Amino acid sequence: MLTAKVCVRYEEDWTAQLARYNAFAEFLASTFRNRRYIGIMALETDDMDASLAVIEDHQATDEVDVLERYELKHADRESATLFVRGSLTEFTPLQTLLYEGFLPIGPTKLEDGRECFDLLLNDREELSKATEVLSEFGPVAVERISNEFNRQVTPSTAEWQELLGSIPPRQRELLTLALQEGYFDIPRETTLEELAAKMDITKTTASNHLRKAERSLMKFLVTYVNLAADDS
């Protein structure tokens, strides 16, 4: 068995057009029935309004609902969760892979205007067949091949919610201020005393708040950093 990341640029689809806005997306859930498509996608882009216009104006799109939307201030980008309804005149790359008996692992990803799939395959001959199938939609690239199956271990939604809910408002406020003011930069752009003054608390209280918040975050994240590390 082997796994491979295979990407295709679907030339006639809105997914390819989003490349101009440096968009990244994950198709979290989708279903097809009677030439109808319904899906939920998480989209991150440099220009959300323009990206939404591309999706909404495409001939295959019937309706787009924005379920949530927020700015990623540290990266000058926006993120949104979209509920998309559409009408299909032909099979999509994902539908075609499934119809031909290939097994995608995890969500379809949109990178650089290409739809990317992690596939579980028997051998390189089957990989060659998968690329041939996808080439009907546009240029295909094999990004990664591994002879081992390794499930990507990521935090569950419940774990994220538990972590985010465990940080008290004042700790969260101080963390946000520290990041905005450059406290974590190298070299630092502000001091603990200055942060404490802006929060109207003592330096000792500010230090305790930061250390407790940092410990909660690091205790959670380091576990998954170690799981994701490739030390081979």
Side-chain angles (χ1 to χ4, degrees):
M1 302 293 286
L2 58 84
T3 59
K5 178 181 178 181
V6 184
C7 299
V8 58
R9 185 178 179 88
Y10 188 4
E11 298 286 9
E12 303 301 322
D13 195 51
W14 53 262
T15 55
Q17 298 176 34
L18 290 182
R20 70 187 73 162
Y21 305 114
N22 192 26
F24 172 82
E26 285 189 344
F27 295 85
L28 305 177
S30 61
T31 187
F32 308 89
R33 185 179 181 183
N34 298 330
R35 297 187 179 274
R36 296 274 299 167
Y37 167 83
I38 300 175
I40 297 176
M41 66 178 294
L43 173 65
E44 180 182 312
T45 174
D46 289 344
D47 191 332
M48 184 60 69
D49 290 331
S51 297
L52 287 173
V54 166
I55 301 173
E56 292 169 340
D57 293 343
H58 193 270
Q59 60 182 1
T61 303
D62 294 333
E63 187 177 359
V64 178
D65 293 325
V66 179
L67 303 181
E68 58 183 358
R69 177 174 175 173
Y70 53 91
E71 294 183 5
L72 305 174
K73 295 183 179 179
H74 65 284
D76 195 27
R77 286 164 65 80
E78 282 193 89
S79 178
T81 304
L82 311 178
F83 188 72
V84 183
R85 298 178 181 86
S87 302
L88 301 176
T89 58
E90 60 180 21
F91 274 12
T92 67
L94 175 60
Q95 282 180 300
T96 303
L97 285 172
L98 294 173
Y99 181 81
E100 295 293 337
F102 295 101
L103 181 61
I105 306 168
T108 302
K109 294 182 173 64
L110 176 62
E111 304 173 5
D112 301 321
R114 303 172 305 161
E115 296 182 29
C116 296
F117 309 89
D118 286 318
L119 301 177
L120 181 62
L121 304 156
N122 287 315
D123 48 37
R124 288 179 179 267
E125 182 179 353
E126 190 173 19
L127 172 59
S128 178
K129 292 179 180 177
T131 58
E132 182 179 351
V133 165
L134 290 175
S135 66
E136 297 177 6
F137 297 92
V140 179
V142 178
E143 299 283 308
R144 181 185 66 250
I145 302 175
S146 174
N147 292 320
E148 297 181 357
F149 173 73
N150 294 310
R151 184 173 67 90
Q152 186 178 19
V153 181
T154 57
S156 68
T157 301
E159 288 176 303
W160 276 118
Q161 291 298 327
E162 183 178 357
L163 168 67
L164 299 177
S166 69
I167 301 176
R170 289 293 279 175
Q171 290 183 24
R172 187 171 66 247
E173 186 180 350
L174 181 58
L175 267 179
T176 302
L177 179 64
L179 183 63
Q180 292 174 342
E181 296 294 321
Y183 181 76
F184 299 111
D185 292 353
I186 301 175
R188 283 179 171 164
E189 299 293 330
T190 190
T191 66
L192 190 58
E193 291 89 341
E194 291 171 329
L195 292 176
K198 290 185 177 182
M199 291 283 294
D200 196 24
I201 56 178
T202 67
K203 178 183 175 182
T204 300
T205 300
S207 177
N208 287 337
H209 280 341
L210 274 181
R211 291 178 65 182
K212 288 178 180 178
E214 288 173 338
R215 186 178 186 279
S216 295
L217 292 170
M218 296 307 296
K219 184 178 180 181
F220 178 84
L221 293 174
V222 167
T223 298
Y224 289 96
V225 169
N226 289 329
L227 286 172
D230 181 5
D231 297 325
S232 58

